[in-house]
């Protein structure tokens, strides 16, 4: 169908989106340009930007520029916003419409931050507001408006919800087959019956989201639901070659991604998050590589971590050829092959949580020192960790002057300088200053180490892979979902399609923890 000069519905899906069936989800801090280009290289036909906050997008030029980073090859592309006000959403959409093929409204994010900000899946009961938001953009934008939603407990209500959005002007519906309560440890399986019911009762293209680990899952979803396309989030993060039906070596995907980051720069935290996903199974074995990824201060240091992982994998591959029983595990492939992370079932997650709580040392509030009496539990914990911790804001620290100017010197500066003078000195003399986080000398040394190690590993890889196809990737293993009844609340293992943000932080012992991003 057509709306004046604007293509819509199936006409839009066929002409502008080229009948895209393989779709990469919007993922906060993870579906940036470099990752989208890697995914497109391996079969993705449609990509979304990360979820963007409409009000921040409107007022912050830097945020807007970074969010809209793209290139001619990055098409078709849909820009996704979260918003709860029609005018704010429209204003952001108008600023973005010349940089994409459609604007998407996020109605699927189930995370706590969405609840606090009152957007995403927490708007799904405000039908009058959503109808107004979609209708306004449908009437005022040059590009189509689309929506990504979650389901209700009731199939009938879910279908009526989809029909309301279609009537308001939504031209493509992406349906995540989980309720907003299904997240984290309670994620469970997505229910494709809800998605099929929507597909049977609306006249616009429908894209399915949930339960995608392998290419075989994509095929099965298309057959069982009749949808027009299939979206994946976490499956793509663990194996960007999923749509090609292969499981390549983890270091190969990491190296290709880092090459694209050189071409399309992004924040270091995004790169770190992707490496944690790609190396997930390998980091369980090689904890020192986990430390390198979690504490790396530059792109070169992360490249060195990738080379370190590649070296371990190649050596283990050599052992695998003569003694494969050494690497037997519950995984479908050896750890050096890209493969999905299978989350514990809700029941298993609850049991694991009880075990962790049982090992926690309780805080003894009965026998605390006299100087801690009256403090909150949080302050007592901080004082126990750091006996010199001062909570008196009136006792301001005394700062000495910089040796080169009148500014206060950095307390931990190696040269007794302020940050500006320290930058100048380290730049001229090629030095490091841990206190100010400047590592110019280290960067050069790391780069030299990378070049040397890369040459050594190329020779080793060539020797190991000569005449074999291991570098071309394994064919997809049978899906974990096959043979299971596709039912909400299924207790079998599953891979979550919730877009969660994965970050890594180095704590006291620099132990890095992984979490996920609220992918929308």
């Amino acid at each position: 169908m057509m709306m004046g000069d604007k293509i819509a519905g199936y006409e839009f899906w066929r002409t502008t989106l080229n009948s895209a069936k393989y779709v990469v989800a919007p993922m906060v801090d993870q579906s940036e340009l470099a990752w989208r280009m890697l995914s497109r290289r391996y079969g993705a036909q449609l990509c979304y930007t990360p979820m963007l906050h409409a009000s921040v997008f409107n007022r912050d030029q830097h945020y807007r520029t970074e969010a809209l980073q793209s290139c001619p090859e990055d098409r078709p592309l849909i820009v996704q916003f979260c918003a709860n006000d029609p005018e704010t959403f429209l204003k952001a959409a108008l600023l973005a419409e010349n940089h994409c093929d459609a604007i998407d409204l996020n109605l699927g994010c189930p995370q706590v931050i969405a609840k606090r900000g009152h957007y995403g899946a927490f708007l799904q009961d405000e039908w009058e507001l959503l109808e107004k938001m979609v209708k306004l953009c449908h009437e005022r934008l040059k590009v189509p408006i689309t929506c990504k939603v979650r389901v209700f407990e009731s199939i009938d209500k879910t279908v009526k919800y989809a029909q309301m959005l279609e009537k308001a002007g939504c031209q493509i519906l992406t349906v995540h087959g989980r309720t907003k309560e299904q997240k984290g440890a309670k994620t469970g399986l997505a229910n494709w019956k809800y998605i099929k019911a929507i597909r049977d009762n609306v006249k616009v293209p429908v894209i399915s989201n949930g339960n995608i680990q392998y290419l075989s899952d994509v095929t099965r979803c298309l057959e069982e639901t009749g949808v027009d396309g299939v979206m994946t989030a976490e499956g793509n993060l663990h194996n960007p070659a999923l749509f090609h039906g292969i499981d390549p070596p983890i270091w190969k995907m990491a190296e290709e991604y880092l090459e694209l980051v050189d071409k399309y720069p992004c924040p270091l935290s995004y790169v770190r998050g992707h490496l944690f996903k790609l190396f997930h199974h390998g980091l369980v074995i090689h904890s020192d590589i986990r430390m390198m990824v979690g504490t790396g201060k530059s792109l070169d240091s992360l490249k060195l971590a990738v080379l370190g992982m590649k070296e371990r994998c190649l050596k283990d591959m050599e052992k695998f050829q003569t003694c494969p029983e050494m690497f037997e595990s519950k995984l479908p492939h050896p750890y050096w092959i890209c493969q999905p992370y299978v989350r514990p079932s809700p029941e298993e997650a609850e049991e694991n949580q009880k075990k962790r709580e049982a090992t926690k040392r309780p805080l003894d509030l009965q026998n605390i020192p006299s100087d801690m009496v009256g403090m909150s539990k949080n302050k007592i914990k901080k004082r126990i960790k750091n006996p010199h911790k001062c909570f008196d804001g009136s006792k301001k620290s005394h700062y000495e002057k910089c040796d080169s100017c009148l500014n206060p010197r950095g307390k931990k500066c190696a040269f007794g300088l302020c940050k500006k003078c320290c930058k100048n000195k380290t730049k001229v003399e090629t030095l490091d200053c841990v206190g100010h986080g400047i590592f110019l000398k280290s960067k050069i040394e790391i780069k030299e180490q990378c070049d040397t190690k890369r040459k050594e590993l190329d020779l080793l890889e060539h020797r190991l892979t000569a005449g074999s196809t291991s570098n071309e990737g394994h064919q997809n293993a049978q899906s974990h979902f096959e043979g299971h009844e596709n039912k909400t609340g299924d207790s079998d293992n599953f891979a979550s399609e919730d877009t969660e943000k994965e970050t890594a932080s180095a704590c006291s012992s620099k132990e890095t923890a992984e979490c996920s991003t609220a992918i929308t």
Side-chain angles (χ1 to χ4, degrees):
M1 63 180 174
M2 300 281 291
M3 305 175 302
D5 296 329
K6 183 162 63 174
I7 298 175
Y10 273 101
E11 186 67 21
F12 166 68
W13 179 69
R14 283 190 292 266
T15 58
T16 305
L17 302 186
N18 303 317
S19 302
K21 289 185 178 181
Y22 301 153
V23 186
V24 174
M27 299 176 283
V28 174
D29 294 349
Q30 304 240 269
S31 58
E32 81 287 356
L33 177 58
W35 189 259
R36 296 198 300 266
M37 295 308 294
L38 178 65
S39 300
R40 292 181 190 279
R41 182 181 293 177
Y42 286 95
Q45 298 167 342
L46 171 63
C47 292
Y48 284 64
T49 66
M51 181 192 75
L52 308 175
H53 201 294
S55 59
V56 179
F57 189 86
N58 290 336
R59 67 173 182 263
D60 191 331
Q61 174 65 48
H62 178 73
Y63 179 85
R64 193 157 61 241
T65 302
E66 187 177 89
L68 294 177
Q69 184 187 18
S70 187
C71 64
E73 296 79 18
D74 186 32
R75 288 298 183 91
L77 177 68
I78 296 179
V79 173
Q80 187 190 68
F81 288 105
C82 67
N84 55 23
D85 176 74
E87 293 299 332
T88 301
F89 179 41
L90 175 63
K91 183 178 178 182
L94 287 170
L95 289 170
E97 65 177 352
N98 291 328
H99 303 273
C100 61
D101 299 294
I103 299 294
D104 187 76
L105 176 60
N106 179 343
L107 300 175
C109 182
Q111 303 305 318
V112 174
I113 191 171
K115 185 175 183 178
R116 289 175 186 162
H118 192 55
Y119 59 79
F122 297 94
L123 291 177
Q124 66 179 177
D125 290 315
E126 302 185 32
W127 291 19
E128 186 176 336
L129 172 64
L130 296 181
E131 185 176 12
K132 185 177 180 181
M133 291 174 71
V134 173
K135 186 175 182 179
L136 186 62
C137 286
H138 172 62
E139 294 173 348
R140 298 279 299 277
L141 294 179
K142 295 187 293 186
V143 296
I145 174 73
T146 68
C147 296
K148 185 173 187 293
V149 302
R150 284 193 169 226
V151 301
F152 290 92
E153 291 288 348
S154 163
I155 289 185
D156 289 340
K157 188 174 182 180
T158 300
V159 170
K160 290 177 181 177
Y161 180 50
Q163 290 173 333
M164 177 274 293
L165 293 171
E166 177 189 24
K167 185 178 179 181
C170 176
Q171 301 306 312
I172 290 181
L173 267 171
T174 299
V175 186
H176 190 144
R178 295 183 174 95
T179 65
K180 69 175 184 293
E181 289 75 27
Q182 286 182 275
K183 59 183 178 181
K186 298 180 180 179
T187 300
L189 284 172
N191 195 324
W192 289 351
K193 292 179 182 177
Y194 287 70
I195 299 173
K196 178 173 173 51
I198 290 177
R199 169 64 282 162
D200 293 341
N201 288 278
V202 297
K203 298 179 181 179
V204 295
V206 175
I207 296 173
S208 173
N209 183 206
N211 296 358
I212 303 300
Q213 291 183 323
Y214 297 101
L215 184 61
S216 58
D217 295 321
V218 176
T219 303
R220 192 161 57 87
C221 182
L222 290 169
E223 292 173 352
E224 291 186 16
T225 64
V227 293
D228 303 285
V230 175
M231 174 183 285
T232 180
E234 198 159 307
N236 167 261
L237 291 175
H238 287 279
N239 180 11
L242 183 151
F243 289 132
H244 265 188
I246 60 172
D247 303 313
I250 54 176
W251 76 81
K252 183 175 186 294
M253 292 293 94
E255 287 181 331
E256 289 190 33
Y257 171 62
L258 291 175
E259 288 176 3
L260 288 166
V261 171
D262 283 331
K263 187 174 181 181
Y264 308 111
C266 66
L268 200 64
S269 60
Y270 296 10
V271 183
R272 183 179 288 112
H274 282 300
L275 293 183
F276 271 114
K277 287 289 190 182
L278 287 171
F279 291 171
H280 178 85
H281 300 294
L283 295 177
V284 174
I285 300 170
H286 304 297
S287 57
D288 57 327
I289 303 295
R290 174 191 293 275
M291 186 71 71
M292 291 176 68
V293 176
T295 60
K297 303 294 184 183
S298 66
L299 188 61
D300 283 329
S301 63
L302 295 184
K303 288 180 179 179
L304 189 61
V306 170
L307 290 173
M309 178 60 80
K310 179 178 180 179
E311 182 178 27
R312 305 290 177 84
C313 292
L314 290 173
K315 288 180 178 178
D316 284 346
M317 283 174 60
E318 196 168 20
K319 295 176 185 176
F320 183 79
Q321 292 177 354
T322 57
C323 192
E325 60 272 12
M326 286 179 60
F327 300 93
E328 289 181 356
S329 71
K330 295 180 180 180
L331 299 176
H333 299 310
Y335 76 85
W336 54 82
I337 297 298
C338 285
Q339 54 199 299
Y341 164 57
V342 180
R343 292 176 177 274
S345 68
E347 291 77 14
E348 290 172 332
E350 186 177 350
E351 185 64 28
N352 292 338
Q353 179 63 26
K354 288 179 180 178
K355 290 179 181 178
R356 284 194 295 270
E357 289 177 355
T359 60
K360 284 185 179 180
R361 187 173 60 186
L363 182 63
D364 185 5
L365 297 176
Q366 301 299 324
N367 300 306
I368 60 173
S370 58
D371 61 331
M372 296 187 192
V373 175
M375 288 185 180
S376 66
K377 287 184 180 181
N378 190 34
K379 287 185 177 180
I380 292 173
K381 289 178 182 178
K382 290 181 178 179
R383 178 63 67 82
I384 291 172
K385 287 182 179 179
N386 180 9
H388 302 290
K389 181 73 174 178
C390 178
F391 299 105
D392 187 355
S394 63
K395 295 181 180 179
K396 295 183 178 180
S397 301
H398 174 69
Y399 293 94
E400 298 179 10
K401 289 185 179 179
C402 171
D403 292 347
S404 297
C405 67
L406 299 177
N407 291 326
R409 64 190 290 180
K411 277 190 171 183
K412 298 180 180 179
C413 179
F415 311 108
L417 303 174
C418 66
K419 189 166 186 178
K420 182 178 180 181
C421 295
C422 186
K423 278 185 174 181
N424 293 335
K425 180 179 178 67
T426 52
K427 184 177 181 180
V428 172
E429 301 180 31
T430 315
L431 300 170
D432 288 349
C433 176
V434 177
H436 281 120
I438 300 171
F439 302 96
L440 297 181
K441 183 180 179 181
S442 297
K443 284 182 179 180
I444 294 174
E445 292 174 350
I446 290 172
K447 193 174 187 307
E448 291 173 351
Q449 291 178 42
C450 285
D451 292 340
T452 303
K453 188 172 284 293
R454 188 176 290 110
K455 292 175 182 177
E456 295 173 358
L457 295 179
D458 284 346
L459 292 173
L460 178 59
E461 184 178 10
H462 179 73
R463 179 165 58 84
L464 287 173
T465 59
S468 72
T469 58
S470 54
N471 233 8
E472 296 173 8
H474 289 45
Q475 290 299 317
N476 281 161
Q478 184 181 22
S479 167
H480 288 282
F481 297 123
E482 290 187 19
H484 293 291
E485 185 179 359
N486 187 17
K487 193 176 179 181
T488 306
D490 195 317
S491 62
D492 291 311
N493 287 345
F494 58 92
S496 168
E497 286 300 317
D498 286 331
T499 14
E500 303 170 348
K501 182 178 181 179
E502 173 151 338
T503 59
S505 61
C507 298
S508 55
S509 62
K510 300 297 183 183
E511 178 183 352
T512 311
E514 296 175 48
C515 340
S516 234
T517 110
I519 308 176
T520 51

